[in-house]
Amino acid sequence: MKTASEDGLKRRDFLANLALAVAGLLTLGGFAARFFAFLYPDVPPEKTLEVPVIARDQIPANGGVVVNLPVGHVALIDVRGEIRAFSAVCTHLGCLITWQPTSDHVWYCPCHKGKYDTEGRVVSGPPPRPLTRYPVSVREGRVYVTLKVRQPMESA
Amino acid sequence: MSAAAIRRWFAERVPIPPEMLRKPLKEELPTHLKTWLWAFGGTPLLFFFIQVATGILLTFYYVPYPLHAYESVRQITFSLRFGWFVRGIHQAASQLMFVAVLMHMIRVFATRAFRPPRELTWVFGVSLFLVTMGFAFTGYSLVYDQLSYWATTVGTNMISEVPLLGRPLLYLMRGGPDVNPNTLSRLYDFHIGVMPTLFVMLIVAHIALVRLHGVAPLEGDSDRKTYPFFPDHVLREAAVGLVLLLAVVVYVVLSPPGLGTKADPNLTPAHIRPEWYFFPSYRWLKMVPVQVGLWTSVVFVLSMLFWPWIDAGLERLAPGKKLGVLIGTAGWLFTLCLLVWEALS
Amino acid sequence: MTIRSQKYLVAALSLALLAALGAVGSVDAKRRAELMKTRAPLTAGALNPQLERGKLVFAKFGCNACHGAGGVGGVKNINAQTGGEVNGLLRVSETYTREELVERIRNGVPNVDKADPTGPEPPLHMPPYKDLVGGQEMQDLVSYLMSLRPQAGEAKSEAW
């Protein structure tokens, strides 16, 4: 038969164990939170910016070129005098497209043989979406493209 | 899903005999362990775990190549979230680990717990102390500031004083004739690969021996009162550990780590000194010729390693005169004097 | 001390540690706020490929030999008034216009001011670059220099 004091003893023991467990877990959690924040990269925010990319005359007539900037890769194409800008990153898995004008496509992705046309639409292959299109402005012989950019990550 | 069912599931798959599990927990420890003097056994291990944790975190950002190393340490200390905190703990805990190992060594020495049959425990213990010094030396070299670079140059130059093998050993350590990018890679590898492995092997051997022998009884102590390891001693060690952790964290908050000037291979700074735990050797080497300094240091380390036998020999030489305690204490005091002298100059 | 009270002691110490971790959080937040102030804002200029070209011009003409890699300074110039060192370039955007910078690069600094007038002549001075750098290269170089910013946590100069 349990006496009242035995019950009280058990409860006091349980409380002490509980206090210990809760305090311990919270503190462990505190350290874990700090260390996780340390490891999680400091990703700079994205900003929409108009960036000078290339001189107008460097894009051949009815031709295309891929420009690699520190903050992105831009595919430019001249279609009967109109300059169009796309992201040069294949929408499938991130490889860079190349200019490869043929009868059915102009951009080719070597990784999984994705093909895009002059409007950035997928002609064949696995890419799920058309190429991202960027607004273009040509001023004083320079081509400006409006991109979403991030500052490059800080590193040693 | 009762607790008993879970326990049974586990016991079937990890068949540890229940006695083997219960024995270390139920172990009865002599009550002389209840004093604070005996709290220092577990603290080096606690600090080792802290160093491994913070060290691993640091390796996510540290780059072991000259100049990049400095920049990565700068990034950690000033740019990254909680970088100052992780690095600060790593620095502060390394100093405290040193102190903890030293205090433990002194306690074991003073109580002559290295007496037979515990000599090997002592040998492993001193080896752990030497590895700790190795950690400290290689660790600081990785920052690649002026102190790092020149301390590495001087420290590795010591090796070349060894007759015959000196030069090849030096080239091996440095990965070349001068301090070069290979040197940094080697020091890094020692710090995060070789020495942690050595340390773990040694500590397992050390603790296994302590558990197997049981805690050394105090000399002349006939009082055999005991208390259980779990939960009494565990709680005691947890309290001590938490106090130390708290001290470290508060210290780092109040005094966050900084950074010296970048290493310049063309300029030895006017006031160059190693870290405080190397002061005794540093002062000694300033006083005596290099060869003398080298060989006396070797003798000193060897006598530390083999102290149980030296002590036993001294006891046979002059029974009851406690020559071992006298000479050993003289050695500790001499080292302390060198340390203080260097610190004050 | 009974086992139970020891448990409460350990729990209390744990919570003290937790509180300390909280302080760590606010200290870190403060540091980051300071850090964000020194971060250069992201502008189209910062992404200019011209800056990459300017960086190459800087290296091509050996500017880093005296002004330090990336213009951080730190190269000794005994008795120079600029702190005994060749001046760094991280703050030129604050004190020079583009035209002034072009002039400086073209003409160099034939006489470096002495820190101690009775002391020795500083060994390093800047030669004129007008016959070496011009046109597009000069513009690229100046754009690069104007984009330099001081970094967070510049090490204080200590004995070592």
Side-chain angles (χ1 to χ4, degrees):
Chain A
M1 185 184 67
K2 281 213 188 101
T3 63
S5 60
E6 260 178 43
D7 260 343
L9 211 72
K10 271 209 162 150
R11 194 172 356 111
R12 283 200 289 270
D13 277 336
F14 175 73
L15 277 177
N17 288 341
L18 188 66
L20 192 59
V22 168
L25 281 172
L26 283 176
T27 312
L28 237 75
F31 273 107
R34 297 291 178 244
F35 292 161
F36 182 74
F38 173 72
L39 288 179
Y40 198 82
D42 196 0
V43 181
E46 263 189 333
K47 234 177 118 166
T48 306
L49 215 53
E50 195 189 45
V51 179
V53 170
I54 197 174
R56 172 67 179 87
D57 50 25
Q58 302 225 302
I59 308 176
N62 292 315
V65 69
V66 173
V67 179
N68 295 311
L69 304 169
V71 291
H73 308 270
V74 182
L76 296 151
I77 184 175
D78 172 320
V79 180
R80 293 181 295 277
E82 176 203 348
I83 301 288
R84 295 180 192 160
F86 302 94
S87 165
V89 178
C90 180
T91 57
H92 181 223
L93 288 170
C95 293
L96 294 179
I97 58 178
T98 58
W99 174 249
Q100 194 189 78
T102 61
S103 50
D104 69 332
H105 72 273
V106 292
W107 302 110
Y108 173 70
C109 180
C111 290
H112 306 96
K113 300 194 175 53
K115 295 174 181 170
Y116 302 87
D117 66 12
T118 57
E119 315 242 313
R121 287 180 301 223
V122 182
V123 168
S124 71
R129 290 179 304 278
L131 295 172
T132 309
R133 181 84 183 261
Y134 297 134
V136 180
S137 159
V138 182
R139 303 194 295 275
E140 291 162 21
R142 291 195 73 84
V143 179
Y144 295 81
V145 177
T146 305
L147 296 170
K148 273 219 191 72
V149 298
R150 267 193 237 273
Q151 202 145 25
M153 282 286 301
E154 203 185 318
S155 73
Chain B
M1 254 306 172
S2 66
I6 297 175
R7 225 176 287 140
R8 203 179 344 115
W9 185 93
F10 205 77
E12 281 172 17
R13 283 155 188 77
V14 187
I16 306 176
E19 260 318 291
M20 209 153 97
L21 268 180
R22 253 195 291 271
K23 198 161 168 290
L25 292 181
K26 287 283 190 292
E27 179 179 343
E28 293 286 323
L29 304 171
T31 47
H32 70 247
L33 256 75
K34 277 192 179 178
T35 65
W36 292 114
L37 207 56
W38 257 262
F40 291 106
T43 50
L45 190 61
L46 169 71
F47 284 122
F48 181 67
F49 288 142
I50 294 175
Q51 292 304 81
V52 169
T54 51
I56 290 177
L57 287 171
L58 289 170
T59 61
F60 273 82
Y61 292 105
Y62 177 74
V63 178
Y65 191 80
L67 298 181
H68 291 279
Y70 183 83
E71 289 305 315
S72 66
V73 175
R74 181 217 292 272
Q75 187 193 15
I76 290 169
T77 313
F78 296 108
S79 297
L80 294 173
R81 266 185 290 254
F82 302 113
W84 60 275
F85 181 58
V86 176
R87 181 168 176 235
I89 295 187
H90 200 74
Q91 270 188 341
S94 82
Q95 318 253 351
L96 279 181
M97 178 168 170
F98 206 83
V99 172
V101 171
L102 218 56
M103 305 278 313
H104 177 61
M105 249 172 53
I106 293 176
R107 195 281 293 165
V108 173
F109 166 78
T111 56
R112 297 187 71 242
F114 52 76
R115 308 187 301 282
R118 293 178 172 81
E119 302 99 317
L120 279 184
T121 318
W122 171 269
V123 172
F124 285 136
V126 174
S127 309
L128 281 163
F129 173 70
L130 294 171
V131 174
T132 308
M133 293 203 83
F135 269 124
F137 177 73
T138 52
Y140 201 86
S141 307
L142 300 179
V143 177
Y144 218 75
D145 61 8
Q146 279 286 64
L147 176 59
S148 300
Y149 185 86
W150 293 104
T152 308
T153 307
V154 169
T156 50
N157 259 329
M158 282 295 300
I159 301 281
S160 63
E161 294 297 328
V162 173
L164 279 179
L165 291 175
R167 197 141 291 263
L169 271 175
L170 176 68
Y171 289 3
L172 189 63
M173 257 199 95
R174 283 186 176 169
D178 302 306
V179 175
N180 64 79
N182 275 343
T183 317
L184 191 57
S185 299
R186 280 167 199 232
L187 291 172
Y188 185 60
D189 191 45
F190 262 93
H191 193 79
I192 72 167
V194 176
M195 281 191 290
T197 311
L198 261 177
F199 194 93
V200 169
M201 295 192 322
L202 286 169
I203 199 85
V204 166
H206 186 76
I207 293 182
L209 281 175
V210 171
R211 291 258 81 81
L212 286 168
H213 282 300
V215 175
L218 276 184
E219 272 183 307
D221 185 22
S222 52
D223 185 0
R224 292 286 153 160
K225 284 220 288 278
T226 63
Y227 72 113
F229 178 70
F230 183 86
D232 300 59
H233 194 73
V234 171
L235 280 173
R236 193 168 283 274
E237 298 233 330
V240 171
L242 280 168
V243 168
L244 288 170
L245 253 180
L246 196 60
V248 168
V249 171
V250 169
Y251 174 75
V252 174
V253 168
L254 295 176
S255 179
L259 198 56
T261 42
K262 209 191 298 214
D264 182 354
N266 297 320
L267 181 72
T268 307
H271 302 288
I272 183 88
R273 263 201 330 193
E275 285 286 297
W276 64 269
Y277 25 81
F278 290 111
F279 278 179
S281 339
Y282 184 62
R283 167 74 7 201
W284 181 242
L285 289 167
K286 283 200 277 195
M287 287 163 48
V288 300
V290 166
Q291 281 292 318
V292 173
L294 175 72
W295 291 111
T296 49
S297 302
V298 170
V299 167
F300 191 82
V301 169
L302 285 175
S303 60
M304 269 208 299
L305 265 171
F306 296 110
W307 186 252
W309 294 277
I310 297 175
D311 182 87
L314 288 170
E315 193 59 27
R316 273 198 300 275
L317 210 65
K321 289 273 180 22
K322 301 249 188 189
L323 269 181
V325 178
L326 276 168
I327 295 180
T329 311
W332 286 114
L333 283 175
F334 180 64
T335 312
L336 185 66
C337 284
L338 288 176
L339 203 163
V340 173
W341 182 8
E342 178 57 42
L344 294 175
S345 60
Chain C
M1 217 185 201
T2 66
I3 294 298
R4 206 178 300 134
S5 37
Q6 274 187 53
K7 287 184 183 169
Y8 279 116
L9 173 67
V10 171
L13 286 172
S14 253
L15 292 175
L17 191 53
L18 193 64
L21 286 175
V24 167
S26 54
V27 168
D28 190 72
K30 232 180 292 178
R31 283 170 75 109
R32 282 190 72 77
E34 278 305 306
L35 179 71
M36 287 306 146
K37 289 194 203 139
T38 65
R39 284 248 170 98
L42 187 62
T43 60
L47 303 172
N48 201 328
Q50 187 182 38
L51 300 184
E52 280 300 303
R53 294 198 303 266
K55 206 174 183 183
L56 292 173
V57 175
F58 190 80
K60 177 174 165 187
F61 292 100
C63 312
N64 38 22
C66 285
H67 289 290
V72 294
V75 175
K76 299 270 168 288
N77 197 15
I78 300 171
N79 203 28
Q81 202 174 55
T82 46
E85 288 183 354
V86 176
N87 55 293
L89 301 170
L90 300 181
R91 291 186 194 269
V92 292
S93 58
E94 296 168 23
T95 45
Y96 287 81
T97 64
R98 286 187 72 96
E99 294 74 26
E100 286 170 338
L101 211 49
V102 171
E103 274 312 293
R104 181 64 124 201
I105 298 170
R106 282 173 59 81
N107 298 326
V109 181
N111 296 305
V112 175
D113 290 326
K114 290 189 199 179
D116 170 13
T118 65
E121 189 75 39
L124 297 172
H125 76 274
M126 181 164 158
Y129 283 89
K130 60 164 146 334
D131 295 325
L132 292 169
V133 188
Q136 187 62 50
E137 278 195 321
M138 178 62 90
Q139 290 307 313
D140 292 346
L141 178 61
V142 169
S143 292
Y144 170 66
L145 292 171
M146 295 297 265
S147 77
L148 295 178
R149 294 284 176 277
Q151 293 153 295
E154 269 178 87
K156 24 180 205 312
S157 205
E158 292 172 9
W160 50 58

